[in-house]
Amino acid sequence: MPSISFKSKVRTVTNSCALTMIVQHRLLVGQRSDIIHRMKQSPPEGVDIILASQLVITISGTLNGARVSPENIMASHIARHLVDYLRMNADKLGINAVSNGHISEDTGLLTLSCTGSRPFPISEPHPLQAKLAGFDIRYVWQTHAKSDSNQPDQTHIATAMNPFSRHLSLPYLTAVNITVERFVTFQLVKRYPLIFGTWCKQLDIETPFFSSIYASVHNIMERSPHTDFQVTCKKLLKLCRRRIEKSADVAFDALSTYIESAEGADFNFQISNDAEALKLSMERFYRLGMKRPHFKVLYVARSEHRPQERH
């Protein structure tokens, strides 16, 4: 199957400006491919999305309709703000490291990368997965300042009125904080619960116990002198296996329909043993029964310029 991408938006309007964060989500389905399907909606439910080897984020921007150069964005407080924001909330988000921004030779855009604390699936085998490869983020600003098309670098705008300046004024900082908070809460934590947030971290804590629970169940079955009890347990484990396999088939069909391409696809997910069936069933019960906690972010409250740390 090919790679896919889809777009989402986060918008904040204040008395002095409007900021729209346009986010292009990039996902890998199966092997990496040069073919990219640009979709209008996110993938269907039932498709687990985990993290690729690293998350690559590109940043671009416009101010009152004029493109801002990557060099100006790199020097701006907005670029440092996103890095600081992710680092400040790294533990709750499940991020291990966030690089400093640099201008990529491949894309010519300001680029940074993140690694996650849990880049691999929580159990093997896993029914169906897509991998989150990265985001292309565009900051679209509309302010009260008038734009001069003859000066595309925006140098004529006073520093205090330019949201891409090195020193971000309080009204712009407030808008950025609100927008990035919504991006993190709804586009990261809520949309990708198996990558970001504390819900998946709790699942990681629970998962090792699934094997011991099965071992206990299996031991009780083996020691029981009641044949009817043993037969009933085996039937229930078989039912667990069938339901997991069925849900995987449904998810695969939904994903194939979503991207309108199943060329060369041969999906036949089968659970090899009862232990795996019970583990995947308990994981499903966790997902259905455990309420996801509200994500509380920490804010970046300073706007002074400072040299970037080297990593």
Side-chain angles (χ1 to χ4, degrees), residues 60-72 107-109 152-154:
S60 59
T62 62
L63 175 57
N64 297 329
R67 177 179 177 271
V68 181
S69 71
E71 292 76 14
N72 285 343
T107 64
L109 298 175
D153 61 355
Q154 301 294 320

Side-chain angles (χ1 to χ4, degrees), residues 152-169:
D153 61 355
Q154 301 294 320
T155 55
H156 65 291
I157 301 178
T159 298
M161 296 300 294
N162 188 346
F164 288 100
S165 66
R166 293 175 180 268
H167 305 275
L168 200 58
S169 63

Side-chain angles (χ1 to χ4, degrees), residues 7-14 16-24 58-66 68 73 78 136-143 163-164 171-172 174-183 187:
K7 187 181 297 184
S8 63
K9 295 181 180 181
V10 182
R11 182 173 173 83
T12 301
V13 179
T14 69
S16 59
C17 64
L19 170 59
T20 303
M21 177 184 281
I22 301 176
V23 183
Q24 194 79 27
T58 67
I59 302 174
S60 59
T62 62
L63 175 57
N64 297 329
V68 181
I73 294 177
I78 283 181
D136 299 321
I137 299 177
R138 180 153 50 99
Y139 291 82
V140 179
W141 285 92
Q142 291 291 331
T143 69
F164 288 100
Y172 293 150
T174 300
V176 171
N177 268 331
I178 294 173
T179 304
V180 175
E181 177 192 359
R182 291 173 178 169
F183 165 69
Q187 302 301 322

Side-chain angles (χ1 to χ4, degrees), residues 32-57:
R32 187 180 294 273
S33 170
D34 293 334
I35 302 175
I36 300 177
H37 284 232
R38 300 191 181 278
M39 313 303 295
K40 294 182 178 181
Q41 297 179 335
S42 60
E45 293 184 6
V47 178
D48 290 339
I49 300 177
I50 62 173
L51 189 63
S53 57
Q54 68 175 353
L55 188 72
V56 178
I57 301 174

Side-chain angles (χ1 to χ4, degrees), residues 43-173:
E45 293 184 6
V47 178
D48 290 339
I49 300 177
I50 62 173
L51 189 63
S53 57
Q54 68 175 353
L55 188 72
V56 178
I57 301 174
T58 67
I59 302 174
S60 59
T62 62
L63 175 57
N64 297 329
R67 177 179 177 271
V68 181
S69 71
E71 292 76 14
N72 285 343
I73 294 177
M74 184 173 180
S76 71
H77 180 258
I78 283 181
R80 301 193 308 275
H81 177 277
L82 183 60
V83 172
D84 289 346
Y85 203 99
L86 293 175
R87 287 175 178 170
M88 189 174 296
N89 293 279
D91 184 58
K92 291 183 178 181
L93 283 173
I95 295 175
N96 277 338
V98 181
S99 71
N100 289 327
H102 67 281
I103 297 178
S104 170
E105 295 181 357
D106 296 329
T107 64
L109 298 175
L110 179 63
T111 304
L112 59 96
S113 61
C114 307
T115 57
S117 60
R118 56 188 315 270
F120 301 107
I122 53 183
S123 58
E124 292 288 352
H126 214 262
L128 184 64
Q129 296 168 346
K131 294 182 179 181
L132 178 64
F135 303 105
D136 299 321
I137 299 177
R138 180 153 50 99
Y139 291 82
V140 179
W141 285 92
Q142 291 291 331
T143 69
H144 295 317
K146 298 295 183 180
S147 176
D148 184 351
S149 59
N150 294 323
Q151 300 186 45
D153 61 355
Q154 301 294 320
T155 55
H156 65 291
I157 301 178
T159 298
M161 296 300 294
N162 188 346
F164 288 100
S165 66
R166 293 175 180 268
H167 305 275
L168 200 58
S169 63
L170 184 58
Y172 293 150
L173 178 60

